[in-house]
Each structure stands twice: as structure tokens, then as C-alpha cells.
């Protein structure tokens, strides 16, 4: 079962950040890395992650510096611009088992490029 209380240094996104696994970069700054999801759920599906180690949104919002939180939130709009998502997009962060989180490194999904349906899937 996913553990969102103890950071796993060998999770897939940690390996992507260490360049141990390749990824298709969309955006990067000092605090944030964004790359294409390997299994896209929409024509545009990007994963946005902090470079520092946080297990989930709960961990990030509790323990990241204000500067890191602001930088990540501001990155979202920049990434939307890069991807030309002028008509809009959706961001999602799955938290824990019930939320469907599979990778225990905090991430935000950015989805777009088509008209999206209802938010909740089964
Ligand atoms: P979660 O279910 O944790 O919210 O989302 C994890 C996401 O990571 C999934 O959408 C999955 O397709 C993506 N993913 C898993 N492994 C890899 C990988 O090795 N590379 C990339 N680019 N995405 C991955």
C-alpha cells in the first residue's frame, strides 16, 4: 500500500529527478520540474512536481517553504502558457490510497487539449 508519511527515495519521480529514468521535460526552474505523463489521459497530460522531497499534497502544504509553494503555484500558469492551453485546463492532485495516488512524490496532473468531462471517475 502507498505510504504517504515516509518519503521513499526510490519512487519513480525521485528517479526521474535524478535522471535515472528518462522523462520528456516541459518546464523546469529551481524548485519545479514538469514532464509528460507516460500514460496520458488527455491530449495534454503533464506531471508537475517539486524538486524537493514531499510525499503528498499534505506533506507539501505543511512542510514546504512559502517560497517553494508560491513558485510551484506560479509555475502552473507558465506551463499552461508553454503548452498553449489558452482555453483552459484541469489540475488534479491525488492524495493517498483513497485519492488514487500511485507515486508517493507530491505531484499535480495538468490535463487539457480536449473538452474534459466530469471531475470524478470511479
Ligand atoms: P498518481 O496516480 O500517483 O496521481 O499519478 C502517477 C502518474 O505517474 C500516472 O499518471 C502515471 O502514468 C505516471 N507515471 C508513472 N510512471 C511514470 C514514468 O516512469 N514516467 C512518466 N513520465 N510518468 C509516469
Amino acid at each position: 500500500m502507498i505510504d504517504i508519511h515516509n518519503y521513499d527515495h526510490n519512487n519513480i519521480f525521485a528517479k526521474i529527478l535524478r535522471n535515472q529514468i528518462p522523462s520528456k521535460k516541459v518546464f523546469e526552474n529551481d524548485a519545479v520540474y514538469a514532464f509528460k505523463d507516460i500514460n496520458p489521459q488527455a491530449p495534454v497530460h503533464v506531471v508537475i512536481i517539486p524538486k524537493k522531497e514531499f510525499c503528498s499534497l499534505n506533506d507539501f502544504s505543511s512542510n514546504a517553504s512559502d517560497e517553494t509553494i508560491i513558485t510551484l503555484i506560479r509555475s502552473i500558469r507558465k506551463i499552461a502558457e508553454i503548452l498553449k492551453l489558452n482555453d483552459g485546463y484541469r489540475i488534479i492532485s491525488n492524495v493517498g490510497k483513497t485519492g488514487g495516488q500511485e507515486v508517493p512524490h507530491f505531484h499535480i496532473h495538468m490535463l487539457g487539449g480536449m473538452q474534459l468531462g466530469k471531475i470524478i471517475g470511479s
Side-chain angles (χ1 to χ4, degrees):
M1 187 189 292
I2 186 167
D3 182 354
I4 58 164
H5 301 293
N6 300 290
Y7 188 81
D8 169 12
H9 299 278
N10 285 320
N11 76 74
I12 299 245
F13 293 170
K15 290 181 179 175
I16 284 175
L17 284 168
R18 291 196 294 267
N19 277 319
Q20 293 170 336
I21 292 178
S23 63
K24 293 183 178 168
K25 179 167 93 171
V26 171
F27 173 84
E28 182 174 18
N29 63 23
D30 286 349
V32 174
Y33 184 64
F35 53 98
K36 293 187 179 177
D37 196 289
I38 204 168
N39 183 23
Q41 303 299 307
V44 174
H45 186 172
V46 168
V47 180
I48 304 167
I49 62 176
K51 289 185 174 176
K52 288 188 179 161
E53 298 177 342
F54 301 100
C55 300
S56 71
L57 177 62
N58 286 356
D59 187 16
F60 183 73
S61 59
S62 300
N63 298 315
S65 68
D66 291 354
E67 187 182 353
T68 298
I69 292 171
I70 289 167
T71 300
L72 185 134
I73 294 296
R74 290 207 166 123
S75 297
I76 293 171
R77 210 207 75 216
K78 289 180 189 163
I79 294 164
E81 277 177 18
I82 289 167
L83 296 169
K84 303 192 189 319
L85 297 174
N86 304 324
D87 293 335
Y89 56 89
R90 179 174 295 160
I91 60 170
I92 296 171
S93 187
N94 298 321
V95 180
K97 176 179 173 294
T98 300
Q101 184 178 357
E102 292 175 356
V103 179
H105 180 112
F106 168 53
H107 53 281
I108 292 174
H109 298 264
M110 175 177 275
L111 298 152
M114 69 178 199
Q115 181 60 53
L116 297 166
K118 293 199 182 291
I119 293 175
I120 296 175
S122 53

